[in-house]
Amino acid sequence: MNDSPANVDGKLVEALRRDGFVIQRGALRASSMRTLLAEFREVFRRQMRRHGIPGAEAEGEAFDAALADLFRADMKSYLAAAKLTQYLPSVHALGAEGPVLDLVRELGIAHPAIAVRPVVHVISDDLKVPGGYHRTPHHQDWRSVQGSLDGLVVWLPLVDIEYGFNAIEVIPGSHRRGLLATTPHPFGTAVLDDLIDESEYVPVEVRPGDVVAFSMFTVHRTGPADRPGVRWAVSLRYNNIDEASFIDHDYPNPFLYKSQDDLLFEDFPAPADIAQALGDEEE
């Protein structure tokens, strides 16, 4: 994306070690983040057009309304589009080269390894999946990643995010408490309520181009929303291949990626479907 390299000083590294999170203001070009957001929206627009959703070509609040209409019309299509955004080459490139990777290295991970595919966060009260989770509870990312002890999460806002608009909230210094006990939750797990002092949470207010980095042991959650709109963000996770326990445990990775060999759609594709996709003209 041709962003300028991030410049990290010792104070930022010291703050990460002390507080468990840091914010690098303007580390990326805001225009690059807007371009990425436009790509994400285009994925949803294709499903909106397919379903005849008015406002598929809209911007701003009108697009948000159309997105909610798609969600209500066909949740399967909406969720499939949301999942597909995580596989766009641009979002993978964002975490595999350039300023983000430079920042990870300068924050102490000289030899990073990507821990899991990027996560695209799309949050709005109009997009709440019944029976699922909406905003994340207080949690630590290490429990799901189980990688190096100094692993990092990099969190990138794609819109302006302030308190009262689904800001992530962190508890400074909580990374030094180690791995905390949890209880089952639709999100996966949540840190036990009696281990959390709600007054210690600090909202992270950021704009596109800012980069938030935090320890995988830092307790965090999604904050409340006092106004409508869709909060868009991307998060990336990195292990350190030099960390001793990660080496001793044979580079553990709890994520299982397995293909489904049975056909998802019966009798598809037929030769005619392939011919159409290749642009063959009918005789």
Side-chain angles (χ1 to χ4, degrees):
M1 292 189 176
N2 297 320
D3 291 299
S4 301
N7 295 315
V8 181
D9 57 28
K11 291 183 179 179
L12 205 62
V13 175
E14 180 183 345
L16 176 63
R17 293 172 178 168
R18 180 188 66 241
D19 300 328
F21 80 101
V22 293
I23 304 172
Q24 179 76 335
R25 304 286 183 187
L28 305 175
R29 290 178 181 168
S31 60
S32 295
M33 298 297 98
R34 287 192 291 269
T35 297
L36 186 61
L37 177 56
E39 286 191 59
F40 291 163
R41 286 174 170 164
E42 276 301 318
V43 174
F44 289 97
R45 289 187 203 278
R46 284 162 171 76
Q47 291 296 337
M48 292 176 186
R49 295 176 191 127
R50 171 192 168 209
H51 289 283
I53 303 295
E57 313 306 324
E59 300 292 344
E61 293 181 2
F63 176 85
D64 293 347
L67 190 63
D69 287 341
L70 172 65
F71 179 86
R72 289 187 289 266
D74 191 332
M75 190 179 299
K76 180 181 177 182
S77 292
Y78 167 84
L79 292 174
K83 183 177 180 180
L84 184 62
T85 60
Q86 300 177 147
Y87 292 93
L88 295 180
S90 53
V91 73
H92 283 256
L94 180 65
E97 62 185 16
V100 171
L101 205 57
D102 290 343
L103 177 62
V104 169
R105 290 189 176 111
E106 293 185 58
L107 286 174
I109 300 184
H111 298 104
I114 294 172
V116 64
R117 67 173 176 254
V119 179
V120 178
H121 306 275
V122 188
I123 297 180
S124 167
D125 284 344
D126 291 328
L127 304 174
K128 183 177 181 180
V129 177
Y133 74 92
H134 186 37
R135 296 178 180 86
T136 59
H138 25 251
H139 66 285
Q140 298 171 302
D141 278 26
W142 194 91
R143 186 171 287 277
S144 63
V145 175
Q146 297 187 53
S148 67
L149 297 179
D150 55 356
L152 286 178
V153 179
V154 174
W155 198 89
L156 309 169
L158 302 183
V159 296
D160 290 351
I161 300 174
E162 68 280 343
Y163 179 74
F165 188 53
N166 301 298
I168 57 169
E169 299 180 342
V170 302
I171 297 182
S174 56
H175 63 306
R176 293 190 173 275
R177 297 177 61 188
L179 187 62
L180 301 178
T182 61
T183 186
H185 187 277
F187 168 72
T189 61
V191 173
L192 294 175
D193 287 340
D194 59 7
L195 298 179
I196 299 298
D197 181 348
E198 295 275 343
S199 68
E200 294 182 339
Y201 270 115
V202 173
V204 177
E205 300 184 305
V206 284
R207 295 182 175 184
D210 295 343
V211 176
V212 184
F214 54 92
S215 164
M216 288 197 194
F217 289 98
T218 298
V219 177
H220 60 290
R221 68 180 179 186
T222 307
D226 298 328
R227 67 174 176 85
V230 181
R231 191 210 75 180
W232 299 79
V234 172
S235 61
L236 310 159
R237 288 155 185 79
Y238 299 89
N239 285 318
N240 179 7
I241 67 173
D242 292 333
E243 199 271 315
S245 72
F246 193 46
I247 297 171
D248 290 343
H249 293 156
D250 298 321
Y251 304 131
N253 188 330
F255 295 92
L256 301 176
Y257 296 101
K258 185 180 184 300
S259 66
Q260 180 175 324
D261 296 328
D262 294 336
L263 291 178
L264 299 176
F265 302 96
E266 188 175 356
D267 300 325
F268 180 85
D273 297 314
I274 298 173
Q276 182 179 16
L278 294 176
D280 293 350
E281 295 182 4
E282 294 184 4
E283 297 183 357

